[in-house]
Amino acid sequence: MDATSLERDPGLRPQIWEFPTNLQDEIRRAYLKAGPYQPKLSEYPFSGIGNQHRRFQFSWFQRYSNWLEYSPSKNAIFCLPCYIFAKKSTGRPGSDVFTIKGFDYWKKVNDGMNCPLIGHVGRDPNSPHKNAVKCCEDLMNQSRHIDKLVEKQVSQDMENNRLRLKTSIESVRWLTFQACAFRGHDESSDSKNQDNFIKLIKILASYNDQVNEVVLKNAPQNAKYTSPKIQKEILHIFANNVRNVIREKIGDAKFCILVDEARDESKREQMAIILRFVDKDGFIRERFFHIGYDGGSNMRGEWNGLQVLFLKDCPYAYYVHCWAHKLQLALVAASRETKHVHRFFVHLTSIINIVVGSSKRHDELQSAQAAEIESLIASNEIETGKGANQIGTLQRAGDTRWGSHFQSICSLMRMFSATCSVINTISNEGSNYSQRGDAEAAYMVLTSFEFILILYMMKKIMGITNALCQSLQQNFQDIVNAMSLVSTTKMLIQNLRDDGWESLLTDVILFCEKHQIDIPDMNGQYTRARGKSRHLVDKSMEHHFMIDIFTATIDFQLLELNNRFNENTMELLILSAALSPKGAYKSFKIDDICKLVEKFYPQDFTEQEKFLLRIQLQHYELDVLMHLDFQDMSTLSELCRELAISEKSKIYYLIDRLIRLVLTLPFSTATTEGAFSAMKLIKIRLRTRMEDEFLADHLLVYIEEEIAKNFTSEMIMNEFYSMKDRRRA
């Protein structure tokens, strides 16, 4: 109780026994902490009659400082200890002078040993006053003892709370790093399969007695730190700290935003957001940052697309379609433009579905492969060895993945005999007319010359383009080398068109002879089917196969590549190639570099800096390009790192700035593909109801474990307590 809320004037205050019994000790402590009431007045009033006028002397406070009190209202003195432990008056004369009435006979105070104040204290060790003083000391000692006990208890509670919270933090950390679910279907105490979070805490408790004494059933109901809400708050703190580190790493450097979309397990479109930047040491970094909820098709919208919204705020920003994805779309679209190739892929999908559509047929396929391999080994047609002659299965082609089309074709060619065997079995032994009919139709297509021709043709085309797809998908560290890959791919496809027909036809004929497939007369007249009738066409079979299928397919591929990778769209890459150290800087051209700045980065360099850039490039050409440490590099990213290590980036700071701007531009969304792979691990069929923020936080901490593992439990704990006005005890 605060003493300021009590009456201090001893002449006016109520007696102790007048207060409620349960408050009396608290009031006693409040008065004792405040001390005796000893006001210092400029003049104390006189009292008495006739020649006996006397008044209170301030010096008396010094002589009786530990108990003497003065009442201005009564002009009398009182005893604080006696008041503190006074009892209701018994009527004995003088017993209430220093507690209720007050003493004001000032003349007697200076009467030597007869002083009433000395008499009040008493010489007997057990005088009422001394007993009251002893009771006061005991009361305050008891109070201090209780305070210490409370303080100790509070300190212990705080320590226990922090240990409980630390256990929860480490459990969240481990489960997130392992992409594990936090919660289970039944989390009750009697559940046979509680959630992973609770089970992990139990495991930690089983190996640590201190943890065991404070967690779960040994924790207070209001401070268990195990609720789903607490789990999400802890994870959110981890995620926010990761984002803060990424922001700090970027600093004031330029960065780009990589965006790609995919459907999660709940069929919801998720848009991964990756930040790409060059750090202070010259390394290219791509960091997962968040998940958005927008369609990728809205990126390029003419009026309301994300590209347009960016350009409103930042007119010198660039929209770059993923080079790898652009190539995938170009090749898939071109293959579908030729009706014969389109029909080929439809038949290919149907054949694969028939053969591997059930476990029984899949087993039959593998048995047929095993028998074929044994036969080939017995006839010495194939060699044996570790890892050779593996039994596989047919691969399905994806809608937009050119590489999956290539794998599908290769798997069919490798298992052609086994596939024919399975389809034959189904056509003869199918359980119903539908199965037998589909299998027979598939077998007729599979063993046709046109199907085999397109099979071989697409393998050759895909063998050329698939290398580019993989390079673009994987080589995301250097944007400049992408240009040469596109150019060489166009040249190889053109060479195939000009000189590849004869070798292709030879391979197809050999394959057909090996598998006893009818080979048409190439000089014979081509017959085209129309409905139920067949009509002769004024062209040979070879013309049909070579011109209508082979040449037409390649022409569509080249047309699509030229449209999507033309000189205009690749100008940025072409000019950027002037900075590349590849081939001992054979592409280095000062004019092209200056043109790159003028056309694509006008806002990043002032007019004076553009002038100084040309001067720096002239020095750079004579200095850096001739330096031995810079001779063996092949990528722009290596050059950027070497400039940082040698500290030449400080000398040629404008060139370093331009290199970093070029490196910041992406041409692949490989990192976003990795994010979606992580999403498949986290948002599984049993976790389709995950909240958006929870999924984003879980993904971020899981993907950026390299950053998140550096946060200590103490850091997370302190931020957890600062988020809200939480009890620490």
PDB file of all heavy atoms in Angstrom, residues 373-386:
ATOM      1  N   ILE A 373      16.582 -58.424 -72.402  1.00  0.00           N
ATOM      2  CA  ILE A 373      17.970 -58.189 -72.009  1.00  0.00           C
ATOM      3  C   ILE A 373      18.735 -59.503 -71.909  1.00  0.00           C
ATOM      4  O   ILE A 373      19.877 -59.627 -72.358  1.00  0.00           O
ATOM      5  CB  ILE A 373      18.023 -57.416 -70.668  1.00  0.00           C
ATOM      6  CG1 ILE A 373      17.520 -55.981 -70.869  1.00  0.00           C
ATOM      7  CG2 ILE A 373      19.437 -57.403 -70.095  1.00  0.00           C
ATOM      8  CD1 ILE A 373      17.340 -55.204 -69.582  1.00  0.00           C
ATOM      9  N   GLU A 374      18.095 -60.527 -71.334  1.00  0.00           N
ATOM     10  CA  GLU A 374      18.733 -61.843 -71.233  1.00  0.00           C
ATOM     11  C   GLU A 374      19.062 -62.404 -72.612  1.00  0.00           C
ATOM     12  O   GLU A 374      20.141 -62.978 -72.840  1.00  0.00           O
ATOM     13  CB  GLU A 374      17.823 -62.806 -70.478  1.00  0.00           C
ATOM     14  CG  GLU A 374      17.694 -62.512 -68.989  1.00  0.00           C
ATOM     15  CD  GLU A 374      16.751 -63.480 -68.299  1.00  0.00           C
ATOM     16  OE1 GLU A 374      16.289 -64.430 -68.972  1.00  0.00           O
ATOM     17  OE2 GLU A 374      16.474 -63.289 -67.103  1.00  0.00           O
ATOM     18  N   SER A 375      18.128 -62.210 -73.542  1.00  0.00           N
ATOM     19  CA  SER A 375      18.344 -62.710 -74.905  1.00  0.00           C
ATOM     20  C   SER A 375      19.491 -61.976 -75.592  1.00  0.00           C
ATOM     21  O   SER A 375      20.329 -62.598 -76.258  1.00  0.00           O
ATOM     22  CB  SER A 375      17.054 -62.560 -75.722  1.00  0.00           C
ATOM     23  OG  SER A 375      17.257 -62.918 -77.065  1.00  0.00           O
ATOM     24  N   LEU A 376      19.566 -60.672 -75.415  1.00  0.00           N
ATOM     25  CA  LEU A 376      20.625 -59.873 -76.040  1.00  0.00           C
ATOM     26  C   LEU A 376      21.988 -60.185 -75.435  1.00  0.00           C
ATOM     27  O   LEU A 376      23.006 -60.204 -76.135  1.00  0.00           O
ATOM     28  CB  LEU A 376      20.308 -58.383 -75.893  1.00  0.00           C
ATOM     29  CG  LEU A 376      19.092 -57.873 -76.670  1.00  0.00           C
ATOM     30  CD1 LEU A 376      18.792 -56.418 -76.316  1.00  0.00           C
ATOM     31  CD2 LEU A 376      19.320 -58.008 -78.180  1.00  0.00           C
ATOM     32  N   ILE A 377      22.017 -60.445 -74.129  1.00  0.00           N
ATOM     33  CA  ILE A 377      23.280 -60.806 -73.480  1.00  0.00           C
ATOM     34  C   ILE A 377      23.755 -62.162 -73.971  1.00  0.00           C
ATOM     35  O   ILE A 377      24.949 -62.381 -74.237  1.00  0.00           O
ATOM     36  CB  ILE A 377      23.118 -60.802 -71.944  1.00  0.00           C
ATOM     37  CG1 ILE A 377      22.888 -59.365 -71.439  1.00  0.00           C
ATOM     38  CG2 ILE A 377      24.340 -61.409 -71.259  1.00  0.00           C
ATOM     39  CD1 ILE A 377      22.575 -59.284 -69.961  1.00  0.00           C
ATOM     40  N   ALA A 378      22.794 -63.079 -74.113  1.00  0.00           N
ATOM     41  CA  ALA A 378      23.140 -64.426 -74.576  1.00  0.00           C
ATOM     42  C   ALA A 378      23.712 -64.412 -75.990  1.00  0.00           C
ATOM     43  O   ALA A 378      24.592 -65.210 -76.330  1.00  0.00           O
ATOM     44  CB  ALA A 378      21.915 -65.335 -74.508  1.00  0.00           C
ATOM     45  N   SER A 379      23.230 -63.475 -76.823  1.00  0.00           N
ATOM     46  CA  SER A 379      23.713 -63.393 -78.209  1.00  0.00           C
ATOM     47  C   SER A 379      24.868 -62.404 -78.368  1.00  0.00           C
ATOM     48  O   SER A 379      25.246 -62.075 -79.493  1.00  0.00           O
ATOM     49  CB  SER A 379      22.563 -62.986 -79.139  1.00  0.00           C
ATOM     50  OG  SER A 379      22.039 -61.724 -78.748  1.00  0.00           O
ATOM     51  N   ASN A 380      25.387 -61.897 -77.226  1.00  0.00           N
ATOM     52  CA  ASN A 380      26.522 -60.957 -77.213  1.00  0.00           C
ATOM     53  C   ASN A 380      26.240 -59.658 -77.965  1.00  0.00           C
ATOM     54  O   ASN A 380      27.157 -59.012 -78.477  1.00  0.00           O
ATOM     55  CB  ASN A 380      27.781 -61.627 -77.798  1.00  0.00           C
ATOM     56  CG  ASN A 380      28.282 -62.771 -76.947  1.00  0.00           C
ATOM     57  OD1 ASN A 380      28.223 -62.696 -75.714  1.00  0.00           O
ATOM     58  ND2 ASN A 380      28.762 -63.824 -77.590  1.00  0.00           N
ATOM     59  N   GLU A 381      24.979 -59.283 -78.026  1.00  0.00           N
ATOM     60  CA  GLU A 381      24.620 -58.024 -78.693  1.00  0.00           C
ATOM     61  C   GLU A 381      24.800 -56.822 -77.773  1.00  0.00           C
ATOM     62  O   GLU A 381      24.914 -55.692 -78.243  1.00  0.00           O
ATOM     63  CB  GLU A 381      23.178 -58.095 -79.199  1.00  0.00           C
ATOM     64  CG  GLU A 381      22.983 -59.116 -80.315  1.00  0.00           C
ATOM     65  CD  GLU A 381      21.583 -59.049 -80.893  1.00  0.00           C
ATOM     66  OE1 GLU A 381      21.080 -57.926 -81.095  1.00  0.00           O
ATOM     67  OE2 GLU A 381      20.985 -60.118 -81.120  1.00  0.00           O
ATOM     68  N   ILE A 382      24.776 -57.038 -76.467  1.00  0.00           N
ATOM     69  CA  ILE A 382      25.019 -55.961 -75.513  1.00  0.00           C
ATOM     70  C   ILE A 382      26.016 -56.445 -74.478  1.00  0.00           C
ATOM     71  O   ILE A 382      26.174 -57.649 -74.250  1.00  0.00           O
ATOM     72  CB  ILE A 382      23.722 -55.504 -74.808  1.00  0.00           C
ATOM     73  CG1 ILE A 382      23.058 -56.675 -74.070  1.00  0.00           C
ATOM     74  CG2 ILE A 382      22.765 -54.866 -75.790  1.00  0.00           C
ATOM     75  CD1 ILE A 382      21.847 -56.253 -73.247  1.00  0.00           C
ATOM     76  N   GLU A 383      26.717 -55.507 -73.858  1.00  0.00           N
ATOM     77  CA  GLU A 383      27.708 -55.836 -72.850  1.00  0.00           C
ATOM     78  C   GLU A 383      27.102 -55.720 -71.466  1.00  0.00           C
ATOM     79  O   GLU A 383      26.168 -54.948 -71.231  1.00  0.00           O
ATOM     80  CB  GLU A 383      28.918 -54.908 -72.965  1.00  0.00           C
ATOM     81  CG  GLU A 383      29.676 -55.049 -74.284  1.00  0.00           C
ATOM     82  CD  GLU A 383      30.867 -54.120 -74.351  1.00  0.00           C
ATOM     83  OE1 GLU A 383      31.052 -53.332 -73.402  1.00  0.00           O
ATOM     84  OE2 GLU A 383      31.614 -54.192 -75.349  1.00  0.00           O
ATOM     85  N   THR A 384      27.671 -56.479 -70.553  1.00  0.00           N
ATOM     86  CA  THR A 384      27.224 -56.408 -69.159  1.00  0.00           C
ATOM     87  C   THR A 384      28.184 -55.538 -68.359  1.00  0.00           C
ATOM     88  O   THR A 384      29.323 -55.308 -68.767  1.00  0.00           O
ATOM     89  CB  THR A 384      27.159 -57.811 -68.542  1.00  0.00           C
ATOM     90  OG1 THR A 384      28.470 -58.403 -68.591  1.00  0.00           O
ATOM     91  CG2 THR A 384      26.170 -58.686 -69.282  1.00  0.00           C
ATOM     92  N   GLY A 385      27.716 -55.068 -67.236  1.00  0.00           N
ATOM     93  CA  GLY A 385      28.552 -54.232 -66.371  1.00  0.00           C
ATOM     94  C   GLY A 385      27.717 -53.592 -65.288  1.00  0.00           C
ATOM     95  O   GLY A 385      26.472 -53.601 -65.327  1.00  0.00           O
ATOM     96  N   LYS A 386      28.419 -53.042 -64.293  1.00  0.00           N
ATOM     97  CA  LYS A 386      27.722 -52.419 -63.174  1.00  0.00           C
ATOM     98  C   LYS A 386      26.917 -51.214 -63.654  1.00  0.00           C
ATOM     99  O   LYS A 386      27.447 -50.307 -64.298  1.00  0.00           O
ATOM    100  CB  LYS A 386      28.727 -51.974 -62.107  1.00  0.00           C
ATOM    101  CG  LYS A 386      28.084 -51.415 -60.861  1.00  0.00           C
ATOM    102  CD  LYS A 386      29.140 -51.058 -59.814  1.00  0.00           C
ATOM    103  CE  LYS A 386      28.471 -50.512 -58.555  1.00  0.00           C
ATOM    104  NZ  LYS A 386      29.476 -50.153 -57.515  1.00  0.00           N
TER     105      LYS A 386
END
